[in-house]
């Protein structure tokens, strides 16, 4: 999980500060040493760490902090603000050409997931009301065109190819003409992976940039490569001029050093992060939300946005009506489980909830396994049994256990969870319950 190691260490530092009624300069110095070590272990650029710690230390030793009633909270607030600034301040959104037709040129090293990211970006654009086309300009890698066509088909977006042509500029210009002819308004140009020190291939990109004049050049980098990703970004930016960065495999990087370093080193913002292998797992990057997650404060805004975009309004309305009539069944429970899984599963949801992302008491891996087991159990039931769990006597439970490959104890656990969920849903439908929920989300 992104920033897991750093988050654990920083929260440990701040827990120690909170235990003190007042803070001395020695306390601040000791805390900053721990923060420095945590950032370096997270593979953050040394120069960036040095400047960050110096800035936090200077502000933390200010009179208004040291004399406040809650100096520890003030220090945490300063660290939060500096983390936000380090990652780019406010979020940097993808921009569109005022002419109505937008071209994005995708660049990066080999193996960063660039072609897949082209598809993810196309799907994100469709979701945001755009009509994109993908263009295959990787003329070197075997099967690169085939891969882009597979990606395009998976997101239902057209792909432009000229298999016999060996000139990326010619291919891209023909793609622009074709896209405009078809009434599409975005072209995503997939290019071959290359090293930033390969002058010949970098010159090819410069020519392509000059010929098609992309609205934005987006650099795709792999978070797992740490400072190598930052160095690549710096090299590409100096040679080509980059408008934004898409950082892939963030879900697999527990350190997060690249994300914390790249804006400071290159001056270019992270615009998107890849948070999984699925085509809809490309998220806009919000520095303030990421800082909040690192410090264990959660990210309720992203959770709410994801719920709003993924949750089926019609199903939600029907479910509310059924709960009001006390008809919440195992069928409804199965639907709810499906909705949670479509939002990335329990692990991703908990990661966005305040104080839950790094809660060692929550076995997220086991929770995901339970999801799969419960789904298998319910699919082994008859419709009547899902509608009325009271029918599930010992004999029926043994039959379901044999059909689902799960022990009877797991079926009992499912029924218990269902009963708890049903009671909670019933409570939330009461006026006081809804008022409590509204208070939870006030301010978002």
């Amino acid at each position: 999980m992104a920033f897991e190691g750093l988050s654990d260490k920083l929260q440990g530092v701040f827990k120690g500060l909170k235990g003190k009624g007042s803070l001395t300069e020695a306390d601040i110095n000791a805390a900053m040493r721990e923060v420095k070590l945590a950032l370096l272990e997270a593979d953050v650029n040394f120069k960036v760490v040095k400047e960050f710690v110096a800035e936090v230390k200077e502000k933390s030793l200010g009179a208004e902090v040291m004399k406040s009633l809650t100096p520890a909270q003030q220090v945490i607030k300063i660290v939060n603000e500096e983390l936000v600034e380090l990652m780019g301040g406010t979020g940097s959104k993808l921009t569109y050409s005022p002419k109505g037709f937008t071209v994005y040129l995708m660049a990066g090293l080999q193996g960063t997931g660039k072609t897949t990211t082209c598809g993810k970006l196309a799907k994100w654009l469709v979701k945001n009301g755009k009509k994109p086309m993908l263009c295959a300009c990787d003329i070197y890698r075997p099967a690169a065109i085939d891969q882009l066509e597979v990606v395009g088909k998976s997101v239902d977006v057209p792909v432009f190819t000229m298999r016999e042509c060996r000139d990326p500029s010619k291919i891209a210009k023909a793609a622009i003409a074709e896209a405009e002819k078809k009434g599409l308004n975005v072209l995503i140009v997939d290019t071959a992976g290359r090293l930033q020190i390969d002058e010949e291939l970098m010159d090819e990109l410069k020519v392509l940039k000059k010929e098609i004049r992309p609205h934005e050049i987006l650099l795709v980098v792999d978070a797992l490569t740490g400072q190598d990703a930052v160095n690549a970004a710096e090299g590409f930016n100096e040679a080509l001029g980059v408008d934004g960065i898409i950082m892939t495999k963030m879900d697999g990087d527990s350190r997060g050093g690249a994300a914390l370093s790249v804006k400071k080193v290159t001056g270019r913002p992270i615009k998107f992060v890849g948070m999984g292998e699925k085509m809809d797992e490309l998220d806009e990057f919000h520095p303030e939300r990421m800082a909040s997650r690192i410090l264990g404060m959660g990210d309720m805004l992203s959770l709410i946005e994801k719920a709003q975009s993924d949750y089926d309004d019609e199903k939600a309305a029907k479910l509310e009506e059924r709960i009001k009539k006390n008809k919440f069944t195992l069928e409804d429970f199965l639907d709810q489980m499906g909705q949670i899984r479509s939002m990335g599963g329990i692990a991703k949801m908990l990661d966005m909830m305040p104080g839950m992302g790094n809660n060692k008491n929550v076995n997220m891996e086991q929770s995901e396994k339970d999801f799969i087991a419960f789904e298998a159990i319910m699919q082994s039931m008859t419709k009547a049994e899902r509608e009325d769990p009271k029918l599930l006597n010992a004999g029926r439970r043994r039959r379901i256990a044999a059909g689902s490959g799960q022990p009877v104890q797991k079926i009992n656990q499912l029924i218990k969870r269902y009963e708890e969920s049903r009671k909670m849903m019933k409570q939330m439908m009461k006026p006081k319950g809804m008022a409590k929920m509204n208070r939870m989300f006030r301010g978002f």
Side-chain angles (χ1 to χ4, degrees):
M1 199 171 295
F3 300 105
E4 186 177 356
L6 176 62
S7 184
D8 283 348
K9 286 183 173 65
L10 289 183
Q11 288 180 54
V13 172
F14 298 138
K15 190 175 181 181
L17 289 179
K18 286 177 182 176
K20 299 176 184 289
S22 60
L23 297 180
T24 65
E25 185 172 346
D27 292 329
I28 297 292
N29 287 335
M32 289 306 105
R33 276 195 299 273
E34 292 298 316
V35 169
K36 183 177 180 178
L37 283 172
L39 290 168
L40 289 172
E41 285 178 23
D43 197 25
V44 180
N45 178 279
F46 178 75
K47 187 180 176 183
V48 171
V49 172
K50 192 176 177 183
E51 291 179 10
F52 177 84
V53 171
E55 193 72 27
V56 172
K57 183 177 175 181
E58 183 184 339
K59 291 182 178 179
S60 297
L61 289 171
E64 67 277 7
V65 174
M66 301 300 283
K67 292 179 181 178
S68 68
L69 293 173
T70 56
Q73 289 180 6
Q74 293 291 328
V75 172
I76 295 168
K77 181 174 180 287
I78 290 166
V79 171
N80 181 64
E81 289 169 353
E82 291 301 314
L83 278 174
V84 172
E85 190 61 31
L86 187 63
M87 290 186 284
T90 56
S92 183
K93 291 185 177 292
L94 194 68
T95 62
Y96 307 104
S97 171
K99 295 178 182 177
F101 187 85
T102 304
V103 178
Y104 299 119
L105 179 61
M106 310 290 279
L109 303 176
Q110 287 183 342
T112 57
K114 184 162 41 60
T115 299
T116 302
T117 300
C118 286
K120 288 183 176 184
L121 181 60
K123 182 160 188 176
W124 184 89
L125 287 163
V126 169
K127 206 171 183 180
N128 284 272
K130 299 294 179 181
K131 293 182 283 185
M133 174 186 271
L134 295 167
C135 172
C137 281
D138 183 347
I139 59 173
Y140 303 105
R141 183 167 58 90
I145 295 173
D146 294 334
Q147 185 190 354
L148 190 66
E149 285 182 326
V150 169
V151 165
K153 189 175 181 181
S154 72
V155 294
D156 198 23
V157 167
V159 179
F160 182 85
T161 66
M162 288 174 65
R163 288 180 178 272
E164 303 306 316
C165 184
R166 310 305 294 170
D167 183 348
S169 296
K170 189 175 180 181
I171 297 169
K173 287 167 83 172
I176 291 171
E178 181 70 11
E180 288 183 320
K181 181 182 173 183
K182 289 185 174 180
L184 306 175
N185 54 21
V186 176
L187 183 72
I188 301 169
V189 181
D190 182 27
T191 63
R194 64 202 73 208
L195 292 170
Q196 70 272 23
I197 56 173
D198 189 325
E199 290 186 17
E200 188 179 338
L201 286 178
M202 289 306 291
D203 285 342
E204 182 184 85
L205 275 183
K206 290 175 186 176
V207 171
L208 184 56
K209 175 185 177 182
K210 184 180 178 182
E211 289 291 326
I212 66 173
R213 296 181 181 180
H215 184 67
E216 285 197 13
I217 296 175
L218 299 172
L219 182 69
V220 182
V221 298
D222 181 347
L224 293 174
T225 61
Q227 289 310 298
D228 285 341
V230 178
N231 295 335
E234 191 174 19
F236 269 90
N237 187 48
E238 287 174 0
L240 195 63
V242 170
D243 297 290
I245 293 164
I246 299 178
M247 194 159 283
T248 62
K249 306 173 191 174
M250 275 289 287
D251 57 312
D253 180 26
S254 63
R255 297 180 301 171
L260 287 169
S261 307
V262 73
K263 174 63 168 66
K264 187 77 172 176
V265 173
T266 67
R268 300 303 178 189
I270 300 173
K271 296 208 171 189
F272 292 94
V273 288
M275 297 301 289
E277 295 178 3
K278 294 177 183 175
M279 297 308 288
D280 59 355
E281 292 182 315
L282 183 72
D283 298 340
E284 285 185 276
F285 186 72
H286 299 280
E288 68 282 5
R289 300 185 192 181
M290 193 58 77
S292 182
R293 286 169 74 171
I294 291 170
L295 298 178
M297 301 173 193
D299 181 7
M300 290 302 292
L301 274 174
S302 292
L303 181 59
I304 292 164
E305 283 175 4
K306 191 149 187 64
Q308 287 174 337
S309 66
D310 291 356
Y311 205 80
D312 188 317
D313 290 337
E314 191 177 335
K315 278 187 178 180
K318 286 180 180 177
L319 178 61
E320 185 177 342
E321 192 60 35
R322 289 175 71 80
I323 293 167
K324 284 179 180 176
K325 293 179 179 178
N326 200 25
K327 290 183 178 179
F328 182 72
T329 67
L330 278 169
E331 194 96 49
D332 299 317
F333 190 50
L334 180 63
D335 275 345
Q336 272 203 320
M337 284 167 60
Q339 292 284 355
I340 291 170
R341 292 192 73 187
S342 73
M343 288 170 62
I346 255 182
K348 287 193 178 180
M349 287 180 67
L350 289 178
D351 189 42
M352 291 189 229
M353 295 177 74
M356 294 297 286
N358 291 295
N359 190 334
K360 301 304 177 191
N361 296 320
V362 180
N363 189 334
M364 291 189 280
E365 188 179 341
Q366 185 57 49
S367 296
E368 294 289 358
K369 286 179 180 176
D370 286 345
F371 256 48
I372 295 166
F374 290 166
E375 201 168 37
I377 288 167
M378 283 195 273
Q379 285 168 352
S380 294
M381 293 179 185
T382 64
K383 186 172 177 63
E385 287 166 343
R386 289 197 293 269
E387 289 288 341
D388 186 5
K390 291 176 184 176
L391 295 173
L392 297 174
N393 56 29
R396 287 176 183 253
R397 293 189 190 205
R398 283 195 296 271
R399 187 205 83 234
I400 293 164
S404 64
Q406 298 294 329
V408 172
Q409 295 96 307
K410 207 71 179 174
I411 298 171
N412 297 338
Q413 187 184 348
L414 165 62
I415 301 304
K416 184 182 178 184
R417 293 264 192 100
Y418 156 72
E419 289 293 347
E420 288 170 352
S421 183
R422 189 173 67 86
K423 287 175 185 174
M424 184 187 74
M425 290 289 181
K426 197 172 179 182
Q427 281 295 119
M428 294 312 291
M429 284 298 109
K430 294 179 180 179
K432 285 184 180 179
M434 292 308 293
K436 186 177 179 181
M437 182 177 273
N438 288 335
R439 283 198 299 274
M440 281 171 61
F441 292 109
R442 190 171 292 152
F444 289 105

